[in-house]
Amino acid sequence: MKLPKLAIKNQQFVYVLVVLVLFIGIRSFVSMPKSEDPFLSTPSYTIIAVYPGTSPEDMEELVADPIEDVVDALDDIDEIRTEITNGLVVMQVEGEFGIDADDKYDEILAEVNGIRNELPTLYSLEVNQFKPEERVTIQQFALVSESASFQQLYDMAEDLEEEIEQLAFVKRTEVEAYPLEEIRVSVDFQKMAQLGIPLRQVLRILQGDNANIPGGDITSGNLSFNIQSTGGYESLEDVSNTAVRSSDGQIVYLRDFAKVTRDYEDERWKARFNGQRCLYVNVYQKRNTSILTLADELKMVSTSFQETLPAEVQLATAFEQAPAVEARISDFVNNLLQGIILVGVVIALFLGWRSALVVMTVIPLSIVLAITTLDFSGYALQQISIAALVIALGLLVDNAIVVIENIVRFRREGYPLREAAAKGTQEVGYAIVSSTFTTILAFAPLALLSSGAGEFLRTLPLTVIYALSASLLLALAFTPIVTSRVLPASTTHTEKGTWLSQKIDWLIIQAYRPSVNFALRRGWVPVVTGVLLLVGASALFPSIGVSFFPTADKSLLLVKVDLPYSASLQRTEQAVRFVEEVLDTTDYVKNYTVNVGHGNPQVYYNSIPEEYKKYHGEVLINFKEWDPATFYATLAQLRNAFAQYSGARITFRELTNGAPFEAPVEILLLGDNLDTLKRIGYDIEDIIRSSPGTQDVDNPMALAKTDVKVAVNRDKASLYNISLLDLDQTVRASLNGIQVDEVVLEEDDETYPMVVRIPFTDEPTLDDFGRVYLARDDGQSVPLRQVADVEFKAEYAKISHFNTTRSLGITANVDDPDRTKDITEAIIPSLDSYEWPEGYSYYIGGEYETQQESFGDLGTLLAVALLGIFAILVLQFRSLVQPLIIFSAIPLAVTGSFVALFITGWSFSFFAFVGFISLVGIVVNNSIILVDYTNQLMREGLEKATAIRQASERRFTPIVLTTLTTILGLIPLTVSGTNLWSPLGWTLIGGLVSSMLLTLIIVPVLYNWFTKENKLEPITQ
């Protein structure tokens, strides 16, 4: 290997290059994008259709089915979930990973737009693509006032929006939780019917008179003139003066039977901050920008804006993401400094302070190179990449340690400093290249994980790979240069070694050498012992348990309040008020944000808010700090308090990492008939409720919904010559209103929906049906009650589809998130033994589904990693046997991993699995170093037994050192106690300890058994 010699000969060039990289890296760290979570690009889409006053069955037939048909016909669609409630369709569309998410969005949008004319005149129809920068608010302001009108608050919000949107890093802003203004045409249906004017005529004329059709142009001489048409409405007066009918020389105007005003729509979303009425201004961050810079700018804008507000209006921060990001970066810097100091102390104790200085220089250089490459790759600094840097901290010093230890050994043998630096690096060069590539191959498949979890984790393997690659280059080119400069010219101190190194030498002679000699004579003893330890550790696995993505460890809680589906907004508000009363007496609560009739604006990447539902409310709680003991004690208190309220289902679940799912336990029942699904649902609900570990079991069909049905007497309607279309339009316009068109008013150049409806100030009641009259063609009027009966009818409040098939999802929370898999699997036998009607089946969703998919992908990636590492080892050692000897370190590592998880109480989570895959590439490094050096000694002519003993003793110190420094680098992250990283850290630490201890004994035994004497081919240098 010529690189070390070239580097030593061109030291000045290497120094200049390192300084340049360091400068670029520091600039990258300061300026690179920073966010809490990765900017995900997932093929996930939401289609939302709003048609107020329409029953779920009508929404299914008129809206959901047509949209599902066109979307399902597209290629690369993996899953479609549709929820249909009163006046609302929410459709979640998941594409297959690996496709172009933006192109698929364009396809879905084109297909939905293509059938708009076949759909009813919807209140709104939106197609959204999930992008964190467009959906997840990074800061949520609340304009709070009990006395200011909505219009005043909205005007102030628009002013704040205008200031915020001038900031460079702001993607967009959005004002929410206020009723929209509309142009309301309040029709006296009795008077209109007396005038003989049918509603369809009014709607047609209003829509026609508002049309703005260009008149073209005309040429006169050498000039061309545009022809202006009559244009649409420009004022309320224009609408009032609409001529509706002319009879006997008399013109009937709209003002003769209707009043045209500007008014607010019926309130569908009520918001409060700490009990006071408010509206929200949400801020969304541009992709690949720094949230910390944006947060500082937002603070300045909000502070100055507060000074302009009247005394009765306050601007509060309901949620902000930046402090969590700042805390993580601060923790990373602290962990980095702690890691450098710990590693430096260990190296100083083993190899002296000069060697420690070299290693402590390599660490920040490798980190800087990794951050620079990460920045150039277009990724941000966020919780995953930060944790990856901490994981890499313990790995990237391994190469430098092996090189320095070997250089020191050559110095002890009397070689000149420069020659020792070159020769010591060359001797281990191929081994550290091979070991680095095996570690990279363990992490690389994680970057190919095609799922939501893969997108979330993408920067972890990439960051580690960048750091390891940087450490390899520095170990081969920079470390020998610095070592040749830093180590003393005299060999006196080097020969003597440090106090600890002398103790290590004593340990090798007194303990390790006899152990190796015994193992070579009685090889079956350590091998059988290793197998028994593996079997024993594997027996602990059921007690360890399996979980998926852990909780987010955030001082946030989202409380959901659900009432029977027929509940009014006022009834829902009463239940939410109860939650507020509980929170007002809880000291740990910092503040809270209330939403009635709608979910809280999205503040976490996988927590999707509910759309408009009168029976639903949400409360976002900000606690004072993240203190696990206080947090979980408070959750227990809140759960007990909320259970006292009998009129609503009040539940909460901690925020979790990973892909979103409906609930930890979800059993989807599939079939066509709603009555049959309802009957089966009761049985499955009982099965789940009786299963140990489940709580908050929810069956959407258990609560009936009562609707008011207008039962038309078709014979009477035909007798009075009244069409069903006129009747349906009149009923809808009477009680919910019909949007005719949109009008741009000249006074403020704003666009307002024009809605025709019956005049009333409060919400419509049953008595209002008595004010509805129908117009006949002969000019006579007929009361609605003359041709229709108003009656109550039980209807299904919610209809769900799974991949276009009707479904019923029975969901449940669990008392222990780590046991979700076990709890779900305990339910499955009861489902299999259930007598399912023909055409009906079940599907396991929830966390279990996502867990099985992700763990299956990780299992495949583990196999790919093993094959890749094996191929590299075959190329290096030109043998099939020696790679298998090296692979013996992997089952030895399993032993320690399982024991560590069992002792510390962590379950085998998704991140523990990620740690295990990473461990595969790390633990083989010790075996590679040991086997490679044994081969070198045998090529030099030593007998196999002598080569094994000598290689084991000489590589004992670097193996112990690299393992110890890797563990020390992981300790700050591991002992942090976070659900996300502690399982991963303990998996690595436990595996490293057991692998090191067993590898030093078992690998020499296996080498002795399976390597023939003097059969190694020389490797061309």
Side-chain angles (χ1 to χ4, degrees), residues 639 649 651-652 664-665 688-689 691-698 811-817 823:
R639 183 172 281 113
R649 183 171 176 265
T651 59
F652 55 79
V665 177
I688 297 175
R689 197 179 299 277
S691 299
T694 59
Q695 60 186 17
D696 301 329
V697 181
D698 180 36
T811 62
N813 289 329
V814 294
D815 55 9
D816 183 359
I823 292 171

Side-chain angles (χ1 to χ4, degrees), residues 323-518:
V325 179
E326 189 172 16
R328 281 198 173 94
I329 293 176
S330 176
D331 289 343
F332 161 66
V333 174
N334 291 333
N335 289 339
L336 179 61
L337 293 176
Q338 292 172 18
I340 292 174
I341 293 171
L342 288 173
V343 170
V345 169
V346 171
I347 301 302
L349 292 173
F350 275 86
L351 302 177
W353 69 268
R354 296 174 187 269
S355 298
L357 184 63
V358 177
V359 174
M360 293 172 70
T361 304
V362 169
I363 294 174
L365 284 175
S366 300
I367 294 291
V368 164
L369 275 169
I371 289 176
T372 303
T373 312
L374 192 69
D375 185 27
F376 287 165
S377 301
Y379 292 100
L381 195 64
Q382 30 73 21
Q383 66 166 328
I384 302 299
S385 54
I386 288 173
L389 289 171
V390 178
I391 293 171
L393 177 62
L395 302 176
L396 56 84
V397 297
D398 289 359
N399 292 331
I401 289 173
V402 172
V403 169
I404 291 172
E405 193 276 338
N406 213 40
I407 293 173
V408 170
R409 184 175 63 83
F410 275 102
R411 287 289 288 144
R412 290 177 181 175
E413 294 175 3
Y415 285 88
L417 190 54
R418 289 171 66 92
E419 186 178 351
K423 189 173 181 62
T425 307
Q426 281 182 295
E427 186 178 74
V428 297
Y430 285 106
I432 64 173
V433 168
S434 177
S435 62
T436 301
F437 272 102
T438 57
T439 308
I440 286 175
L441 280 173
F443 282 93
L446 290 173
L448 305 176
L449 186 60
S450 296
S451 64
E455 285 290 328
F456 185 74
L457 282 175
R458 187 82 65 220
T459 52
L460 187 148
L462 292 178
T463 304
V464 174
I465 289 170
Y466 295 153
L468 290 176
S469 301
S471 73
L472 178 62
L473 287 174
L474 290 171
L476 295 175
F478 182 69
T479 301
I481 295 176
V482 178
T483 305
S484 66
R485 295 279 186 176
V486 172
L487 290 184
S490 171
T491 62
T492 304
H493 177 75
T494 308
E495 289 174 353
K496 185 178 180 182
T498 65
W499 172 83
L500 186 58
S501 66
Q502 294 177 48
K503 293 297 182 183
I504 291 295
D505 291 339
W506 178 88
L507 180 66
I508 291 172
I509 296 170
Q510 299 298 321
Y512 182 56
R513 181 181 294 175
S515 299
V516 172
N517 289 334
F518 174 80

Side-chain angles (χ1 to χ4, degrees), residues 863-929:
V864 171
L866 290 172
L867 287 173
I869 293 171
F870 188 80
I872 290 291
L873 295 177
V874 169
L875 290 174
Q876 179 187 354
F877 293 100
R878 301 179 183 179
S879 165
L880 292 175
V881 175
Q882 288 198 339
L884 293 176
I885 295 173
I886 292 169
F887 265 37
S888 66
I890 296 173
L892 302 179
V894 172
T895 300
S897 294
F898 286 177
V899 171
L901 290 174
F902 178 78
I903 293 174
T904 56
W906 295 102
S907 63
F908 192 74
S909 66
F910 182 88
F911 277 89
F913 203 156
V914 170
F916 185 75
I917 294 176
S918 309
L919 190 65
V920 167
I922 297 171
V923 297
V924 298
N925 292 344
N926 291 336
S927 300
I928 291 172
I929 292 171

Side-chain angles (χ1 to χ4, degrees), residues 562-566 615 647-649 678 682 685 698-706 794-798:
D562 290 288
L563 279 78
Y565 298 118
S566 296
Y615 56 83
R649 183 171 176 265
K678 183 176 181 178
Y682 284 123
E685 179 186 356
D698 180 36
N699 177 3
M701 285 190 174
L703 296 176
K705 178 178 183 292
T706 303
E795 298 283 355
Y796 290 104
K798 176 181 176 181

Side-chain angles (χ1 to χ4, degrees), residues 218-239:
I218 189 172
T219 302
S220 177
N222 295 326
L223 300 177
S224 179
F225 302 93
N226 289 329
I227 302 174
Q228 292 188 354
S229 65
T230 55
Y233 296 123
E234 295 182 348
S235 66
L236 300 182
E237 187 178 0
D238 289 345
V239 180

Side-chain angles (χ1 to χ4, degrees), residues 947-960:
I948 291 173
R949 290 185 178 93
Q950 194 173 116
S952 299
E953 293 179 13
R954 288 183 177 180
R955 289 295 175 256
F956 180 87
T957 299
I959 287 175
V960 171

